[in-house]
DNA sequence: AGTTAAGTGTTATATTATAACATTCGTCTT
DNA sequence: AAGACGAATGTTATAATATAACACTTAACT
């Protein structure tokens, strides 16, 4: 009937925020946008989006496949990749190029290209719209006479929570 | 539909600049840096670096392998990946995350993290140090309390030469 | 009914990357 | 000289990521 064990375990981010709200907002926005756009958020696509939103970590396609199989025995790589293609096209998830992985997008309704801060320790991804960076980038690209199709702006490192945890453990 | 209308000769960039100079500078710098650092630019590593520098396009690992085989029949995937790992560690090449490909670095001796402008038409990659972008990025990352390990800043689109070619062909 | 387009099922394969262990070779030690 | 070592490479196998190709279903439209 429901899924009680969602935000209770090792999810560090979830321990500090109301992740159910993240999920319901993301799914609600996705459903709304798909209706408005006249595209189909089919059961498979919806399930994959939910799986991606289990947490804020970047997740691999084959890990999603493993997570989907219990609910859908017929799931194959194409099942996942087709759903991912759709979700990316609709701007509902980000592909994290430097990890070959995927993460839910919190800004589906607005501009989609964001700066991604990717923690090498916990795999969580923080999106930032970083307007000053984007402004400087526009200038730079204009100077280069380059016609932009898409941007991948990915920073790897240690997020603030992991940094605190590590500091507390003092090596 | 329209045909892709690629640049007819393989080396559009080279037709407009002295590419031999690019190569000799890149190899010279690499040799020098490796001596200074006390690391070995072995024959295999040197050959792979030369192959990467055949042009300014992002090149795939298995394409390099194919190019290496005539010179080195024993070449296997590990041969290439080990050489690439070394060249990346030494900052002599960039890994283009969004293409799973590699390109020579023109700034080996200086800072290595650059903005990459990647042409979807000709695959050439332009590096730009983009100081204003980097400055804004530092600010943004600082605000996020994030500890940076590495950056992947990749813009896809159409380079100025391809744009001109396309415009000349009047679509 | 016939046609079409989107979505999915299914099988197979292509592409990218790493693991694991053996061998070679130069250098340092004894 | 013999042995030990570490770096690089040789070699085999496999893991991980992604796409191609074609069949089938469904719903909408003609
Ligand atoms: Zn959340
Ligand atoms: Zn973290
Ligand atoms: Zn050149
Ligand atoms: Zn181009």
């Amino acid at each position: 009937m429901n899924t009680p064990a969602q935000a209770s375990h090792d999810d560090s981010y979830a321990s500090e925020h109301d992740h159910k709200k993240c999920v319901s907002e993301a799914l609600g926005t996705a459903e709304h946008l798909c209706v408005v756009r006249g595209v189909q958020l089919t059961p498979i696509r919806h399930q994959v989006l939910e799986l991606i939103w289990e947490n804020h970590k970047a997740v691999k396609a084959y890990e999603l496949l493993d997570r989907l199989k219990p609910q859908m025995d017929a799931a194959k790589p194409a099942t996942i990749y087709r759903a991912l293609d759709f979700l990316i096209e609709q701007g509902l998830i980000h592909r994290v190029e430097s990890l070959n992985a995927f993460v839910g997008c919190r800004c589906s309704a607005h501009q989609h290209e964001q700066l991604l801060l990717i923690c090498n320790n916990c795999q969580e991804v923080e999106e930032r719209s970083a307007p000053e960076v984007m402004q400087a980038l526009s200038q730079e690209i204009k100077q280069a006479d380059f016609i932009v199709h898409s941007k991948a702006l990915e920073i790897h490192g240690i997020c603030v929570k992991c940094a605190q945890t590590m500091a507390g453990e003092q090596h």
Side-chain angles (χ1 to χ4, degrees), chain A:
Chain A
M1 186 121 186
N2 60 356
T3 56
Q6 201 156 21
S8 50
H9 52 296
D10 112 287
D11 201 349
S12 60
Y13 203 133
S15 67
E16 295 175 16
H17 79 288
D18 183 0
H19 187 60
K20 281 178 186 163
K21 196 176 159 207
C22 297
V23 173
S24 64
E25 278 182 11
L27 297 178
T29 302
E31 288 157 11
H32 177 248
L33 286 175
C34 288
V35 169
V36 168
R37 294 170 182 170
V39 296
Q40 299 181 54
L41 189 61
T42 62
I44 290 177
R45 292 166 176 176
H46 195 279
Q47 282 178 78
V48 171
L49 186 58
E50 274 189 81
L51 289 173
I52 288 173
W53 272 103
E54 275 190 3
N55 55 48
H56 293 269
K57 300 180 198 297
V59 59
K60 301 277 193 168
Y62 277 74
E63 193 190 323
L64 284 173
L65 182 54
D66 289 341
R67 289 201 221 155
L68 183 59
K69 272 179 178 160
Q71 309 169 43
M72 222 200 140
D73 196 46
K76 300 275 187 325
T79 315
I80 286 290
Y81 280 105
R82 283 167 179 160
L84 291 171
D85 286 347
F86 172 85
L87 296 170
I88 289 168
E89 270 171 24
Q90 296 302 320
L92 302 173
I93 63 174
H94 293 285
R95 181 181 158 86
V96 184
E97 299 290 352
S98 52
L99 290 177
N100 296 328
F102 306 87
V103 71
C105 174
R106 312 184 79 162
C107 56
S108 319
H110 319 287
Q111 84 285 10
H112 183 67
E113 278 163 341
Q114 303 273 75
L115 177 66
L116 301 185
L117 304 185
I118 303 153
C119 181
N120 289 340
N121 187 242
C122 69
Q123 287 74 247
E124 287 190 0
V125 177
E126 180 182 355
E127 294 177 66
R128 298 182 70 96
S129 53
E132 291 86 0
V133 174
M134 298 304 178
Q135 171 59 27
L137 206 44
S138 296
Q139 282 296 318
E140 183 71 29
I141 291 166
K142 193 175 175 185
Q143 278 176 37
D145 258 329
F146 192 85
I147 299 166
V148 176
H149 287 178
S150 64
K151 308 189 187 101
L153 307 173
E154 306 181 356
I155 311 296
H156 281 259
I158 302 296
C159 75
V160 59
K161 280 170 292 140
C162 286
Q164 285 167 357
T165 305
M166 288 165 172
E169 285 166 356
Q170 52 185 316
H171 300 288

